[in-house]
Amino acid sequence: MTTHPTPRLEIYPERITYNTLAVCGLAHEHGASVAGVAKVTCAHPAVVDALVAGGVDMIADSRIDNLRHSRERGIDLPLMLLRISEPSRAKEIVEFADISLNSSLTTMQVLSEAAIAAGKRHQVILMVDVGDLREGVWPDRAVEVAFGAAQLRGIEVVGLGCNLACFGGVVPSEENMKVLVDVRDAARAATGLELPLLSGGNSASLPFLASGHMPEAINNFRMGESIILGRNVFDRSPWPGTRQDTVKLVVEIVELERKPSVPIGKRGQNAFGEEPAFEDRGTRLRAIVNLGRQDAVVDGLDPLDPNISILGASSDHMIIDVEDAADAGSLKVGDELAFYPDYAALLAISTSPYVEKVVVGHPRRGIPAVD
């Protein structure tokens, strides 16, 4: 029987630190700083500490509450808010984020007022849409917006940025990076600002950076998945020199029965409005475990034992075919099964209050070799 709470997410910070060193090393060789993005784990303290230990230059998150928790824990690196700033939370943003990403002059005016009221200046990066069609002002408006922002006393426009491969799947290239550089040069001329920071995207920029073709002027990257999961985000293949066993989901078998592989009786929609299809594989050994769709994106879970397969899930339970499991003959109720989550699954697991988070090891106790 299990002796630890389940379901649980096991976090291995030493392995995350190992990955951080690899990714930061590549960026630092280019002369760029790295904002370590902790949002996929809701800025879990062990993950943030692992990023710091691995050499990130900033901590970034999309939720101001997570940045507040990091600051209150004593993290003294600059904190970057990734999510486009909300005017309604300007006071909190100015208090807990050193830098925020913005595309609205209206919002920057509100941030300026909040910063003046707090007796400080707030740094902003003006986001430019170079083709992915998520956030950012269109390039032909960027200089105008930058000029307007430069007039605001409470903020300091420290640079420009872009986001790629999140909404439209557009990959970083010499062409779209050149757009960002050209807009920066035009904004410099119009505003007289130095605009020293050019934030050239997220983990999707890593392959282009490694190719050696990234423009030298691009000097900041916001890296999350490539560090925490050690993945190339374009095909989710392992990134060279990183580990993929940084987090592990562990669940508990609560039922173990031999059952037909196709439901019996007239069928309609399931609880989620779907009409699932079933392959008739005869009678199989099936396990039900204590995790469901309320806790994870089950399609994003990869079993450590490749001989088992996920059949589906309800809100609270996941159904697994364990007929061919390596230890099928000895499995029993109370045993544990483990999975590696992908980005979407990890995001949901981290957000779920019903999944215990357990830290294995410590980021400052040394960095293990890849084994």
Side-chain angles (χ1 to χ4, degrees), residues 68-88:
R68 174 172 59 83
H69 294 153
S70 291
R71 179 65 80 217
E72 290 173 348
R73 288 184 53 245
I75 298 299
D76 57 4
L77 291 180
L79 301 183
M80 175 187 287
L81 178 64
L82 298 175
R83 194 180 198 178
I84 292 296
S85 299
E86 307 114 299
S88 62

Side-chain angles (χ1 to χ4, degrees), residues 104-127:
S104 166
L105 187 56
T106 298
T107 301
M108 287 186 277
Q109 289 171 335
V110 178
L111 288 172
S112 175
E113 293 167 3
I116 291 171
K120 60 171 67 174
R121 294 190 79 198
H122 178 70
Q123 296 183 334
V124 302
I125 293 175
L126 174 63
M127 297 298 283

Side-chain angles (χ1 to χ4, degrees), residues 218-268:
I218 306 298
N219 60 7
N220 175 262
F221 300 99
R222 311 178 302 275
M223 300 291 192
E225 182 174 358
S226 58
I227 292 176
I228 294 174
L229 294 180
R231 297 287 180 181
N232 180 335
V233 301
F234 289 121
D235 58 9
R236 267 62 196 186
S237 60
W239 184 257
T242 65
R243 301 182 64 137
Q244 288 69 56
D245 55 353
T246 52
V247 291
K248 183 168 63 177
L249 173 69
V250 181
V251 298
E252 183 177 346
I253 297 175
V254 295
E255 178 183 297
L256 190 66
E257 294 284 341
R258 300 191 64 83
K259 296 184 181 181
S261 48
V262 177
I264 298 170
K266 184 178 179 180
R267 287 187 282 130

